[in-house]
Amino acid sequence: MILPILKYPDKRLRRVSRPVNEIDDRIRKLVEDMAETMYDAPGVGLAAPQVGEDIRLVLVDVAVREDENKRDLQVFINPEILAAEGEQVGEEGCLSVRDFSAPVSRAMKIKVRATNLEGETVEFEAEEFFARVLQHEFDHLDGKLFIDRISPLRRAMYKKKLKKILAREKKNG
Ligand code: ZN
């Protein structure tokens, strides 16, 4: 089932999500629906708060970057960044931020601990694009969006643009 994706400035995107205590059928069904939603969008990542669930759960699939038919879904539950180093700046967009992208600074390399869908603890290192996607998605779990990490001038420009978009949407019902 494709789920509606919340859009900024929806306040639910600003909540700090709570840990997942048990991986039950409800979580597995949510992962299934979130995967369908992410591939349909399409996007390389989707965090539970983006579909209105305030739990620490993130889906990522960056394989599409190599080959548009390739899929490699990765599920991260209660993820933590254990270490970060270096810096990279790259263009980011977000399924919850309409019609906008901007350069964002992130760590080049991170060490992550998370639980997978089988309930196992995994630890791994990620760098470059994969590390960027993970940092972006994990931010969602703390109620943060990439537009919080851009220059105030760019953010002001986006807010102005968004006002117009919202006014147009209202007019068109
Ligand atoms: Zn996002």
Side-chain angles (χ1 to χ4, degrees), residues 45-47 50 92-97 136-137 140 144-146:
L46 187 68
Q50 292 181 275
E92 290 186 22
C94 178
L95 297 175
S96 294
V97 178
H136 175 117
E137 297 308 327
H140 278 296
K144 289 201 188 93
L145 300 171
F146 82 92

Side-chain angles (χ1 to χ4, degrees), residues 13-163:
L13 290 167
R14 294 309 198 174
R15 293 185 294 196
V16 175
S17 292
R18 57 203 160 78
V20 175
N21 295 320
E22 195 192 346
I23 301 163
D24 53 15
D25 285 347
R26 196 184 144 284
I27 295 288
R28 281 186 280 269
K29 171 74 172 115
L30 178 62
V31 167
E32 208 175 283
D33 289 343
M34 280 176 64
E36 206 181 325
T37 305
M38 181 178 82
Y39 290 124
D40 176 71
V44 292
L46 187 68
Q50 292 181 275
V51 294
E53 298 284 344
D54 61 335
I55 54 172
R56 304 187 81 81
L57 165 69
V58 159
L59 271 61
V60 169
D61 189 340
V62 291
V64 69
R65 267 205 132 201
E66 291 163 39
D67 174 350
E68 61 176 316
N69 298 314
K70 204 171 152 193
R71 281 191 180 180
D72 180 21
L73 181 69
Q74 294 184 271
V75 179
F76 303 107
I77 296 164
N78 304 333
E80 289 170 79
I81 295 178
L82 302 176
E85 64 177 61
E87 197 203 353
Q88 57 171 324
V89 176
E91 196 81 2
E92 290 186 22
C94 178
L95 297 175
S96 294
V97 178
R98 298 168 175 86
D99 304 320
F100 186 64
S101 67
V104 181
S105 167
R106 301 279 185 188
M108 175 57 94
K109 197 172 166 186
I110 55 173
K111 190 174 180 192
V112 175
R113 181 192 291 149
T115 302
N116 64 21
L117 202 49
E118 285 71 48
E120 300 154 350
T121 302
V122 292
E123 262 188 40
F124 62 95
E125 281 181 355
E127 52 186 11
E128 299 189 17
F129 183 73
F130 184 37
R132 165 176 303 284
V133 173
L134 291 174
Q135 290 169 84
H136 175 117
E137 297 308 327
F138 296 171
D139 264 0
H140 278 296
L141 306 180
D142 292 321
K144 289 201 188 93
L145 300 171
F146 82 92
I147 50 172
D148 304 337
R149 297 186 181 279
I150 63 177
S151 75
L153 179 67
R154 276 217 173 81
R155 190 160 50 242
M157 276 165 55
Y158 177 61
K159 283 189 176 167
K160 211 166 152 188
K161 184 179 169 183
L162 182 65
K163 252 186 202 160

